[in-house]
Structure formats: structure tokens, C-alpha cells
Amino acid sequence: MPVSAARAAAFDILIRVNELDSYASELLHSDRLNHLTAADRGLCTELVMGVLRWQSALDTAIEPFSSQKISRLDPEVLVALRLAVYQVHHLDRIPSRAAVNESVELVKRARKKSAVPFVNAVLRKFTAIPPDPFSESEPTIEQLPMRLAHPQWLVSRWALEYGLAATTRICQHDQQTPSTTLRLHEDAAAVEAELRAAGIDLEPGKFVRDARLVVSGDVVNTPAFRENRVAIQDEASQLVALLVGTGTRLLDCCAAPGGKTAALAERNPTATILAVELHPHRSRTMAERLAGRNVEVLTADATALPYGAEFDRVLADVPCSGTGTLARNPEIKWKLTAADLADLQARQIAILTAAMRHVAPGGRVVYSTCSLESEENEAVVEQALAAHTDFRVVNAAERLQELRDSGDLVWTTPETLVHDRFLRTLPGTHPCDGFFAAILERNP
């Protein structure tokens, strides 16, 4: 029998994520899903993100029924098994029989016919035994990785850094579908009214005045979104852009995909803004998105820019591990290793120290990541300050209070967003992704 369009699309995306290091969120918003109905697109997204969020738990559930080690299974076979087990364990509205039959058909579709009896046997045995529900009690540090499908090494380091309670909240947050948050710009009131008229139900953001949470509706298919009059951007990311402040000449060192650059342009409509991106294809896409704004897009390496100390505001939102965004990018936790952090740190130090060279006397650079790891955050700032002794750390609480006084920040307790002078948001503790930001000011 034919495989449903939603499951076939989900299967293909999961194969690409596992084999080609593609990002699920990008594939789910690509043209490859244009042939799907709205309902099928929704099911495809649920399957892809659910399988990735619960991957290790799914493998643990499969293992007792498999005559082969999970690590030795062909990728197509393993993905088909994960899809079926996810549907049986997590989607009540889908009959087990349908989930099993379609995964068997996916294996045939992938030209792995010799594996069909194996997949069928594993899934029949799996569905014959009721799942063993987890206890309602709070998990211990040893139980967290299994219960909430996170790598042991990440859970252990978070527990040391943030404590068990906060780590549990992080892991719980990562397993939930995150809210879609919009940044309204230009004529915010008119755009909001337009979205509501298009059937988009909105409510105010938790942090930022111009943020809106999507309660229901498909924003991506509205003219306002297609015409770049509204952007999807997490509130913590919006807050980082607000930290930068205003100036006459601004530099965004690692600008793609351009959300923070657009926010800077809106806050500084008369400024000259230079947005730098290393990769040509991302630079071209960003230039199209920012067309008509006061932004010059430059394809270049941020560590080797032909400029002096001539910018009064600089943003260095650097490439990072992304461990603060695992609810949106769950595949990261299965690909990242502890060894990767050292490589990322070296690149981050190089970018920040280079960015500091372009700050005019009395100017500021904001260094930010969407990482929860101290190697990528405080340690980078510490080493950069050692190399540039003419800079000081500005307590983020000062800038947050300014934003609170101006009405841009609606979070009533700005001090809860600050740890040791730096902005720090934690998933589960705060209603947003995990971000870090440091404000560094050059001596006059």
C-alpha cells in the first residue's frame, strides 16, 4: 500500500538530518513540503521534531526487541523503526497498526526489502507489550538522560553549572514544542490587526514590548510574513538586539540569517549599518531579506575586516553549539560532543577579539550566544578582556533597567535575567530560548 505523504516527507527529512548534517527546521520550512496539505505538513513536523527530541528514548524502547544492535542497523531501517515507536508511544490519535504498517512500507520504499521481515517482527513484538510508564516522581540526575532523552554528558555538566532543579526544567522545556514568537516592526499596530484579520491569534510577549506569541494560525503563509513586515524571532534573541542600543555607525559581525540586523536597522533608521556574513549563499539570502533597509551586506570573514576602530556599536552574535535552542533544534544534542566546545571557543575568541578592534573609543560591543556552556560564554569574555585591557564589562542589569524604563522591556524583574553582570536566560526557567550576552565598553 502507498505511504502517506506526511510520513514519507518526515522519513526523507530524518534521513537527511542523520546522514547529511542538515537542520530539521530548515528542511521543514523548505520547498520540499509545498506539496503537502496543511494537515499533512503539521503531521510531518510533529513526526520529525518528535523523533529527534526523543531519539535516545526511542532507541532504548526498540533495543529489547531487536536481534541486532541499534548501532548496526541501516539508517533507513532505524528511522522507520523510530517513526513507528514515536507514533505508538506519543501520538494517541494514530492507531498502532497504521504506524507499524506504514513504517514497513517506508522500508520497502527505501529499497531495503530484505529488512522488511525484521522491521515487521520488531514492531509487532513492541506493540504487543504495553509501554512501561515513567514514575511521576522527580527524576534523579542518573534518571534524567533516559527519562527526558538528553545525552548524559550534557545533563551532567548542566547539573554542575545550574543545579538539578534548573537542569530538569531545561530538559523538560527541550521536549516540548516551543511557542512561535513574532517581532513586530514598522507599523506594529496595523500589522497586528492584519494578522488577526487573517486568523492569527496572538497574545503579548513575556519580555519585549513588540513581541507577540502565536496562539494559533499559520503565520508563514500570511502576506505580512512573506513581505518581511513581521519576523519569527525568539524573545531572548530580540532582547539581545535591544542590548546593542543606538549609534550612528553599527557593525553586525556574524549577521545571518539577519533577524538581529533587521532589529538594529529598525532601532537605528538613520545609522550606517554593516552586516557581515562569511558564507556567500547566506549572505545573498540575507541581502534579499534586508533589501530597502539602511544595511550594507558584506561577504567576509569577521576576523579579517578592513576597518579600524570606527563603529560605536558592534554586535558579535557568534556561531555556537546552540544548546540553548534544543527545543527548536533537537538534532544538536545527538551530534554535539564535548570536544566540539573547544573548537567553537577558539573561533569565538577570534571573532570577539577582532570585533573589539573595530569599536570606537567610548563605544560598545555586545557578545552573545544561544549556548548554555560556560566555555562559549564567560570563558570567551574573560580571554577577550585579557587581550583588550582597554575594555570593561558593563553590568547587563544597567542596560536592562534602561529598557525597562523606556518600555521596551516588559519583564517586571530584570534582575532575574542577569548572572554575574551578564544576560543569561535559561529554557524552562525563562519563557524563551537560552541566551548569553555580555556588554563590553571601550574606554573613551
Side-chain angles (χ1 to χ4, degrees):
M1 70 180 209
V3 179
S4 71
R7 290 180 179 85
F11 178 86
D12 293 341
I13 288 174
L14 288 167
I15 291 295
R16 290 181 65 87
V17 170
N18 288 342
E19 297 298 297
L20 301 177
D21 285 339
S22 300
Y23 282 94
S25 59
E26 294 180 2
L27 295 174
L28 287 167
H29 289 94
S30 68
D31 293 342
R32 67 180 55 247
L33 299 190
N34 286 349
H35 66 289
L36 297 182
T37 65
D40 279 345
R41 183 187 285 267
L43 177 57
C44 175
T45 299
E46 170 69 36
L47 293 175
V48 169
M49 300 305 280
V51 167
L52 291 173
R53 288 191 184 109
W54 293 98
Q55 182 171 298
S56 64
L58 299 176
D59 290 353
T60 298
I62 293 166
E63 198 165 27
F65 305 101
S66 175
S67 58
Q68 301 180 46
K69 290 184 177 180
I70 295 292
S71 60
R72 299 187 63 180
L73 295 178
D74 289 340
E76 297 86 352
V77 172
L78 183 53
V79 167
L81 289 171
R82 287 171 177 167
L83 276 166
V85 172
Y86 176 72
Q87 291 172 80
V88 172
H89 263 193
H90 294 273
L91 301 182
D92 294 337
R93 66 185 183 274
I94 295 178
S96 296
R97 182 177 178 181
V100 171
N101 289 342
E102 293 237 359
S103 278
V104 170
E105 293 299 321
L106 284 169
V107 176
K108 295 178 183 177
R109 175 177 174 270
R111 299 181 180 179
K112 298 288 182 180
K113 290 187 178 180
S114 62
V116 167
F118 168 79
V119 170
N120 190 55
V122 169
L123 294 178
R124 297 295 176 191
K125 288 186 287 186
F126 169 78
T127 55
I129 300 176
D132 183 18
F134 287 126
S135 166
E136 294 297 324
S137 63
E138 285 295 311
T140 65
I141 186 65
E142 293 79 19
Q143 294 170 331
L144 258 181
M146 179 182 66
R147 279 226 219 154
L148 293 174
H150 278 66
Q152 177 70 63
W153 72 274
L154 270 182
V155 170
S156 296
R157 66 172 19 243
W158 291 343
L160 287 173
E161 180 74 18
Y162 303 113
L164 178 58
T167 299
T168 302
R169 291 194 294 270
I170 292 169
C171 293
Q172 290 170 335
H173 175 92
D174 291 346
Q175 299 309 92
Q176 304 298 317
T177 301
S179 59
T180 298
T181 308
L182 306 181
R183 177 173 53 81
L184 302 181
H185 47 85
E186 299 178 358
D187 191 348
V191 172
E192 183 171 4
E194 178 185 342
L195 290 173
R196 292 186 184 278
I200 310 301
D201 188 12
L202 303 171
E203 63 181 34
K206 307 295 185 183
F207 278 167
V208 180
R209 178 188 57 199
D210 294 331
R212 297 293 183 274
L213 303 178
V214 178
V215 178
S216 63
D218 186 3
V219 173
V220 175
N221 286 323
T222 63
F225 181 81
R226 291 195 297 267
E227 295 164 10
N228 294 319
R229 290 183 287 114
V230 63
I232 295 176
Q233 187 177 18
D234 183 78
E235 284 199 74
S237 177
Q238 296 184 44
L239 185 54
V240 167
L242 287 173
L243 290 182
V244 175
T246 59
T248 59
R249 189 162 170 78
L250 283 72
L251 170 65
D252 189 349
C253 293
C254 307
K260 295 183 184 69
T261 313
L264 293 179
E266 289 151 21
R267 301 283 295 188
N268 297 271
T270 62
T272 299
I273 301 176
L274 179 66
V276 177
E277 170 53 37
L278 178 62
H279 303 287
H281 68 286
R282 301 188 78 198
S283 184
R284 287 192 298 270
T285 301
M286 183 172 60
E288 294 171 4
R289 188 172 294 153
L290 296 172
R293 300 180 185 271
N294 54 320
V295 177
E296 177 189 353
V297 177
L298 176 66
T299 304
D301 186 337
T303 64
L305 296 177
Y307 299 97
E310 54 192 88
F311 297 91
D312 43 14
R313 292 293 183 271
V314 176
L315 173 61
D317 181 47
V318 300
C320 69
S321 65
T323 53
T325 68
L326 297 185
R328 302 181 194 280
N329 304 291
E331 62 271 36
I332 288 175
K333 61 186 175 183
W334 311 123
K335 296 179 179 182
L336 186 71
T337 68
D340 294 331
L341 298 179
D343 294 334
L344 286 164
Q345 185 192 69
R347 176 67 174 162
Q348 291 154 353
I349 292 170
I351 293 172
L352 178 55
T353 53
M356 293 165 80
R357 293 198 296 269
H358 302 304
V359 178
R364 292 180 175 183
V365 56
V366 171
Y367 171 79
S368 67
T369 76
C370 54
S371 168
L372 304 181
E373 316 315 314
S374 60
E375 294 96 324
E376 300 180 87
N377 298 326
E378 292 90 346
V380 170
V381 172
E382 181 180 347
Q383 294 200 45
L385 288 173
H388 288 277
T389 56
D390 55 338
F391 279 79
R392 71 176 184 92
V393 175
V394 176
N395 194 324
E398 298 175 18
R399 179 65 183 140
L400 290 173
Q401 189 57 53
E402 292 173 359
L403 293 171
R404 175 73 180 153
D405 293 342
S406 68
D408 292 294
L409 180 68
V410 296
W411 187 257
T412 57
T413 52
E415 66 277 5
T416 63
L417 305 177
V418 178
H419 177 71
D420 191 23
R421 301 177 296 168
F422 305 122
L423 174 75
R424 158 56 69 211
T425 61
L426 288 179
T429 297
H430 303 111
C432 58
D433 289 342
F435 266 79
F436 169 91
I439 306 171
L440 308 179
E441 185 175 80
R442 192 167 202 165
N443 296 335

